[in-house]
Amino acid sequence: MPRFAANLTMMFNEHAFPERFQAAAAAGFPAVEYLFPYDFPAGLIAEKLSAAGLKQALFNLPSGDWAKGERGLAALPERRQEFRQSVKQAIDYGRVIGTPLLHMMAGIASPDDLAAQTAYRDALAFAADAAGAEGIGLVIEPINGRDMPGYFLDDFDRAVEIITGLDRANLKLQFDIYHRQIMRGDVLAALEAMMPLIGHVQIASVPKRNEPGTGELDDFRVLRELDRLGYEGYVGCEYRPAGETTAGLDWRTRI
């Protein structure tokens, strides 16, 4: 059975963020992930992890102004210096928290814009090298345009091509089953083909992004396929509970 990481941005919202760590541990999760830790001191996050006996799976680099619709800085050439500072902030947090992985969001930009393409590749190389120097992995994630209109990295094949082209040992693909199903389907074949490059997996049902097993895809077959393929990382539960979080956790017994 895969090892699951509760996504504390989406799950356990019945509690304030610092209390979600203990709630996830009490529900049987061995690890957690979330979008951003930066509203809290890194030391506090580390304390909450340790007190709950949890492992950190990953979190994101700063994205810019999320409330104003920014979804990353990497593909924005005019934000180069701000992006580089965000890498330093994420690594500083990662060092204290002990994360093995960081996720770099791309930003809102046309994938056909040559300046955005150059900025993104340069940013990715910079972030991978900086994270690698600290023994931290870096992942990039294709995101569907329905959930995030205008997102620069909206294609799995392009992500694979970029990762392969940059050739950094610590640079991997974040394979979100929900996004893949919406964008292109063919989930099982893509997992098998891309497995050597996959550094992290996330799951949610399609189309409503609720608990696995409540949508159009056979999520349990996909999870069993991850076992067959030898995937050893965490599967991030990046879904929105349909009701109270713990009431919907029985899906884990159906794999």
Side-chain angles (χ1 to χ4, degrees):
M1 179 185 294
R3 298 180 300 158
F4 295 109
N7 186 294
L8 299 187
T9 301
M10 292 192 171
M11 301 174 70
F12 299 103
N13 279 210
E14 300 85 1
H15 308 274
F17 183 77
E19 280 66 62
R20 293 175 198 171
F21 294 85
Q22 191 60 53
F29 285 95
V32 294
E33 62 177 36
Y34 36 79
L35 291 183
F36 311 109
Y38 309 110
D39 286 342
F40 301 90
L44 174 64
I45 301 295
E47 289 172 9
K48 294 296 182 180
L49 281 166
S50 178
L54 293 167
K55 298 293 185 182
Q56 180 71 44
L58 97 166
F59 58 83
N60 293 357
L61 272 68
S63 68
D65 193 330
W66 188 271
K68 292 183 177 179
E70 293 186 335
R71 296 296 183 265
L73 305 172
L76 310 180
E78 71 278 9
R79 307 286 287 278
R80 181 173 182 265
Q81 288 307 120
E82 186 180 348
F83 170 78
R84 292 194 167 201
Q85 186 59 37
S86 79
V87 173
K88 180 182 184 303
Q89 183 182 17
I91 290 174
D92 287 346
Y93 264 74
R95 190 185 300 115
V96 175
I97 293 171
T99 189
L101 285 176
L102 293 169
H103 168 223
M104 188 190 88
M105 297 193 74
I108 305 300
S110 170
D112 299 321
D113 184 324
L114 294 179
Q117 292 175 18
T118 299
Y120 182 74
R121 290 174 189 267
D122 288 349
L124 187 53
F126 175 84
D129 290 343
E134 295 290 336
I136 298 173
L138 186 72
V139 290
I140 58 173
E141 176 190 29
I143 297 178
N144 80 80
R146 188 169 76 196
D147 282 50
M148 202 170 286
Y151 192 69
F152 176 80
L153 189 64
D154 61 354
D155 181 84
F156 274 79
D157 289 342
R158 190 183 319 122
V160 166
E161 182 230 331
I162 291 170
I163 292 169
T164 303
L166 285 178
D167 193 26
R168 300 302 200 273
N170 69 321
L171 178 58
K172 299 289 184 179
L173 175 69
Q174 183 166 307
F175 193 108
D176 189 302
I177 294 162
Y178 167 83
H179 290 305
R180 174 70 192 195
Q181 174 67 2
I182 291 173
M183 293 159 69
R184 195 164 171 180
D186 206 19
V187 172
L188 297 182
L191 278 173
E192 183 162 16
M194 298 177 185
M195 185 54 65
L197 293 179
I198 293 175
H200 189 62
V201 173
Q202 291 178 324
I203 193 167
S205 67
V206 179
K208 293 185 177 180
R209 206 167 188 173
N210 296 144
E211 286 86 349
T214 61
E216 68 190 27
L217 190 65
D218 186 345
D219 296 307
F220 306 118
R221 183 180 178 189
V222 174
L223 291 168
R224 290 192 295 269
E225 182 69 1
L226 286 174
D227 281 344
R228 188 188 74 80
L229 293 171
Y231 176 70
E232 296 180 347
Y234 289 107
V235 175
C237 300
E238 196 183 41
Y239 67 80
R240 300 185 187 95
E244 194 270 335
T245 301
T246 56
L249 290 177
D250 61 346
W251 64 267
R252 295 177 300 176
T253 68
R254 297 163 55 193
I255 301 170

